[in-house]
Amino acid sequence: MFKKFSAADASGQSILKSSVQRSIRATLLSQMNWDAETLELVWPKKEALVLVKCRDHISIYTVQGEPLFFQHFDGPFFPTLRLLQKYPSLLPKVQVDRGAIRFLLAGAHMMCPGFTSKGGWLPDADAAIPKEKAVAIFAEGKDHPCGVGLTKLSSEEIKSVNKGVGVEIVTYLGDDLWSLKKL
Amino acid sequence: MGKKKNVQPPPPSTSTLPDSIADGEGNVVGEGAVVEEVKKEGVKPLEVLYCQGELRYPIDVGCDDDLVIVCSFPPEFCEFGSSLTRCKAWLHEEHPDLFDKYYSEDALVEKTALLSTEAATKLEKDTAKKEAKAEAKARAEEERKKEAKVIVKRIERNKRKYVTSISGLEAFGIDLKKAAKLFAQKFATGASVTKTVTGGEEIVVQGDVSDEIVDMFEEANESSKESALKGVPEDNIEVVEEKKKKGGD
Ligand SMILES: [Zn+2]
């Protein structure tokens, strides 16, 4: 999503109406794993949320110029990877094996076997992740998440199908959103 | 969402309750109130260290556009970047404890154990290849600038009539229009930017001013002031002469 991206792709910035900001705040709390007080630390109520419209229907949301969240069309909100690394449990965790890391950092979508091999990890059935859900992508042997993804199959399907793309990568370590510290 | 199983270690606990929630008499006050206050604080973010290892393109000719690529990855991922050697040097200098954690013998053994030997060798080769590629690119750029020449040519137009052409400036990032303006001002004469037969551009100044032009480049480099002529080292300037062809009269 942010492989060939630059600030020039932003077509305009606007401060959102406070009613819209309120509803986004509620959405962020329902879609991610944190409480209002923690969100307040990241995005204080007194700070305006700015919408930066970008090409291909990507919306980036910034606070004081720092990109914090983004969204594709009306899809789920994703935290930027920098924010996710600060709060690693914001999204459900999945893990790829070490062999998949270099593909991930080249922007490739993650195939099922990367999650089901010995170094990979998926939650047990009782905590299964549905499809079309934002996830934090961790990697074998590493402490920090290195990507944010969108599940294309549920975590149980990834286990049973075990081929093809399991998780699409929306942002990863070193892509152009990572490099963009201020917008 | 909300699973507790095998999740990353929780962010550093902020539960260090202030020791001194006591009034003057040493009595602890309002226990309930304290708990509520802690809850209101929210979870502090994990502090993430970003690698400052730099791949510097060591161009010594003084152009402003030296390329510096800062790694910016959390150090555990530097092995997948394109500046591992620099990253290691930086980490060793700034965070020796982390350096040991990631690059000690033990760490390496553990890491390679995760992969088949074949895959591990491939990974190492890839890293080396990536680094070599980035370095080669840097070096080529450096070489290109080192070898590039600015030719200041004295051209005889008619008997005792000269013009001076300056070509090859593009390689040093000089703005030709601005440079031409400086020459025109300095010599109170015409200076124009024209296309050369080889597809480049050159500045043509009226009169025989080659020596003065070389001096101007030199002065620009030595001066701390901004100048459109800054960035061409003296050694890269060649002064040549083009005699009027015999019998061309
Ligand atoms: Zn690094």
Side-chain angles (χ1 to χ4, degrees), chain B residues 57-121:
Chain B
Y57 287 47
I59 300 158
D60 297 316
V61 295
C63 280
D64 307 328
D65 56 350
D66 283 8
L67 288 161
V68 178
I69 298 171
V70 180
C71 166
S72 86
F73 286 9
E76 58 174 357
F77 285 102
C78 289
E79 56 171 326
F80 294 100
S82 49
S83 52
L84 183 57
T85 312
R86 312 300 166 94
C87 294
K88 280 166 100 168
W90 176 82
L91 197 65
H92 192 255
E93 178 81 11
E94 302 290 329
H95 303 274
D97 48 328
L98 284 177
F99 180 85
D100 288 344
K101 182 178 168 197
Y102 295 136
Y103 301 113
S104 70
E105 288 284 318
D106 289 353
L108 290 180
V109 169
E110 203 174 292
K111 204 166 10 181
T112 38
L114 295 178
L115 287 174
S116 65
T117 337
E118 200 184 328
T121 328

Side-chain angles (χ1 to χ4, degrees), chain A residues 1-7 9 55-56 58 60 70 102-110 169-180:
Chain A
M1 201 178 270
F2 296 103
K3 209 165 177 176
K4 286 256 154 57
F5 186 85
S6 76
D9 290 318
R55 58 154 165 79
D56 300 337
I58 296 170
I60 300 178
F70 61 94
R102 63 196 178 95
F103 297 107
L104 203 170
L105 299 197
H109 295 322
M110 294 288 97
I169 303 304
V170 293
T171 185
Y172 59 92
L173 188 60
D175 71 1
D176 291 330
L177 181 60
W178 173 265
S179 314
L180 202 70

Side-chain angles (χ1 to χ4, degrees), chain A residues 30-33 35 37-38 41 82 85-89 92-93 98-99 101-102 105 121 123-124 126-127 133 138 140-146 173-174 178, chain B residues 1-9 11 39-50 71-74 76-77 79-80 101-102 111 114-115 122-123 126:
Chain A
S30 75
Q31 290 184 355
M32 295 178 203
N33 185 25
D35 53 24
E37 290 75 24
T38 307
L41 285 181
R82 282 178 196 272
Q85 288 182 341
K86 288 178 186 149
Y87 291 99
S89 50
K93 169 188 170 167
R98 187 174 158 81
I101 301 178
R102 63 196 178 95
L105 299 197
W121 186 89
D124 291 337
D126 59 0
K133 183 101 184 68
F138 287 76
E140 180 183 15
K142 305 293 178 200
D143 296 326
H144 299 287
C146 54
L173 188 60
W178 173 265
Chain B
M1 201 171 285
K3 294 159 314 309
K4 286 284 165 287
K5 197 172 290 180
N6 206 356
V7 189
Q8 281 305 103
K39 190 179 164 278
K40 262 189 198 153
E41 266 177 15
V43 181
K44 294 253 164 59
L46 270 187
E47 266 184 44
V48 184
L49 175 71
Y50 302 114
C71 166
S72 86
F73 286 9
E76 58 174 357
F77 285 102
E79 56 171 326
F80 294 100
K101 182 178 168 197
Y102 295 136
K111 204 166 10 181
L114 295 178
L115 287 174
K122 169 134 179 45
L123 189 73
D126 278 356

Side-chain angles (χ1 to χ4, degrees), chain A residues 22-129:
Chain A
R22 260 198 308 281
S23 97
I24 290 178
R25 197 177 279 275
T27 308
L28 290 170
L29 286 171
S30 75
Q31 290 184 355
M32 295 178 203
N33 185 25
W34 52 3
D35 53 24
E37 290 75 24
T38 307
L39 177 53
E40 172 72 22
L41 285 181
V42 170
W43 168 24
K45 285 206 180 69
K46 60 177 167 41
E47 298 293 347
L49 189 70
V50 172
L51 164 66
V52 184
K53 280 203 170 145
C54 304
R55 58 154 165 79
D56 300 337
H57 303 276
I58 296 170
S59 304
I60 300 178
Y61 297 89
T62 65
V63 171
Q64 290 189 308
E66 184 191 351
L68 291 179
F69 314 103
F70 61 94
Q71 195 183 19
H72 189 215
F73 285 101
D74 295 328
F77 279 81
F78 298 102
T80 57
L81 184 58
R82 282 178 196 272
L83 177 61
L84 180 69
Q85 288 182 341
K86 288 178 186 149
Y87 291 99
S89 50
L90 272 187
L91 299 176
K93 169 188 170 167
V94 296
Q95 179 175 302
V96 295
D97 60 32
R98 187 174 158 81
I101 301 178
R102 63 196 178 95
F103 297 107
L104 203 170
L105 299 197
H109 295 322
M110 294 288 97
M111 311 301 247
C112 295
F115 298 101
T116 56
S117 70
K118 194 167 144 264
W121 186 89
L122 289 168
D124 291 337
D126 59 0
I129 305 166

